[in-house]
Amino acid sequence: MRSSTITLALIASLTMSLQAQTRREVDWRAVETETMQHFQAILRMDTSDPPGVEKPVVDYLRQVLEREGIAVEVFTLEPNRPNLVARLKGNGSKRPILIMGHTDVVNVDPAKWIHPPFSATRADGYVYGRGAVDDKDNVVASLMLMLTLKRMNVPLDRDVIFLAEAGEEGSTRVGIQYMVNQHFAKIDAEFCLAEGGSVIRRDGQMRFAGVSTTEKIPRAIELTARGTSGHGSVPLQSNAIARLAEAITKVNAWKSPVLLNETTRTYFNRLATVSRPADAARYRAMTGTNPELARAADVYFQANEPAHAAITRTSISPNIISGGNRVNVIPSEAKATLDVRMLPTEDTTAFLATIRRIIADTAVSVAYVVRDVRPTTPVATLNTEAFKVIEAAVTKHYQTMTLPTMLTGATDMAYLRAKGMQCYGMGPATDVEEGPRGFAAHSDQERILENDLHRFVRFQYDIVEQLAAARR
């Protein structure tokens, strides 16, 4: 009896030792070589949305994962637009963690590209291709995470789930909506990690890592002005275009109230610690108690830092206008569409009533119109195990601070946060200069530094390993 007890203890000790040793022996050079192979392969697949044919990427991912013995399921609403779910099982002592990336990309104008947009060309240390930073970088990082955890035989306290989703760029009904509404049990998790963040580098120096914890909700408001039609040689006070122009001017001049949440308040306070004195004073003013200083900072942001003005309030941008068809005909109707990005706490009914009050013209109707909106969601909190692990990984891999951010754009995390999941958006390091140069996401060029892709793979692996690996 004693002998068998000693033997079992010895086996357990050797197993724990072997597991610890295995975790330390990831061959990152080999991982980098394989990462590039898979990254180029999926970049070369044209998954432009529309029309959105993500099936080749899902077929590729499935083959790679199943070859390693990783369980894969595919869920499809439309034949060429599948969603892939892969799972590494844990012991169930903790709830799962979900990592996700979308396989569709925005459309391209090939004539404007230095390298063909689906060539995955490697040049000057970069990889060029549509989807390089939105979002096939997250797809390949998630793939390599699953493969590495499996190969290293890392014991897990929680399941690790990989969702490669379709339709994020405008067809969410075939992707995240379908998964949440019809197959949520397959992706249900305590935490999720997805796109929506980035490590910001300026002049070659790391400034901060933005990790999104919430996002604004996209809505569209249509203004329709109506008047009497007639001959253009006889101007009328009821001219629909003139009334529409006046309504747009009123709405554009109005600014909704500033309202900070835990994320934006922490963002400004932390950003102040790494900014020049004048900038730091404005950031602190936004979270301070002096309303005059806060108003002055807000006015400055609107003129000079519009992204900072946008995260403090529900924003309105008049982006489409139409009316009239002949120069000598007064039209009876003219329309404008406003791009509205609402704070998560905004009351949509009250907001529409406010716009009507500001316009104050019964000849101009104000109504929401259909667009690919996201649900109103709670803010992911900063006081979680996941956020603390992310902060530690940022320090380790990027030697900079973490700033929680509220996205002005939209991601599929909104659907998961609405189900109670704590979701955090992350991404590789990027240079702020890339946008003005035309190399950012959705630009006529898109590229990523190879070194930043590889660092992101290791960064994400460390986060998930820390959150999911068994520590006993």
Side-chain angles (χ1 to χ4, degrees), residues 232-255:
S233 65
V234 182
L236 300 174
Q237 287 187 342
S238 63
N239 185 296
I241 289 179
R243 301 189 86 149
L244 180 66
E246 185 177 355
I248 293 172
T249 299
K250 289 178 180 178
V251 171
N252 197 57
W254 176 74
K255 296 293 181 289

Side-chain angles (χ1 to χ4, degrees), residues 214-225:
T214 187
E215 58 194 61
K216 299 176 82 175
I217 311 302
R219 298 298 297 260
I221 291 178
E222 186 173 79
L223 310 181
T224 304

Side-chain angles (χ1 to χ4, degrees), residues 4 24 33 40 51 77 110-111 121-122 164 213 215 220 227 229 231 234 271 285 296 324 326 333 354 426 432 452 458:
S4 62
R24 291 194 300 268
T33 299
Q40 287 186 288
L77 182 63
T121 299
R122 297 173 70 181
T213 61
E215 58 194 61
S229 63
H231 199 288
V234 182
L271 184 59
R326 289 183 62 98
E333 186 176 277
T354 298
M426 308 184 307
V432 294
D452 285 328
R458 295 185 68 168

Side-chain angles (χ1 to χ4, degrees), residues 70-89:
I70 298 173
V72 173
E73 294 180 279
V74 174
F75 302 92
T76 306
L77 182 63
E78 293 184 1
N80 288 320
R81 313 207 66 183
N83 302 276
L84 176 145
V85 177
R87 183 184 295 261
L88 293 173
K89 293 289 291 182

Side-chain angles (χ1 to χ4, degrees), residues 280-297:
R282 282 185 283 268
Y283 301 147
R284 290 193 181 96
M286 293 304 295
T287 64
T289 58
N290 187 318
E292 292 300 322
L293 291 178
R295 275 192 289 271

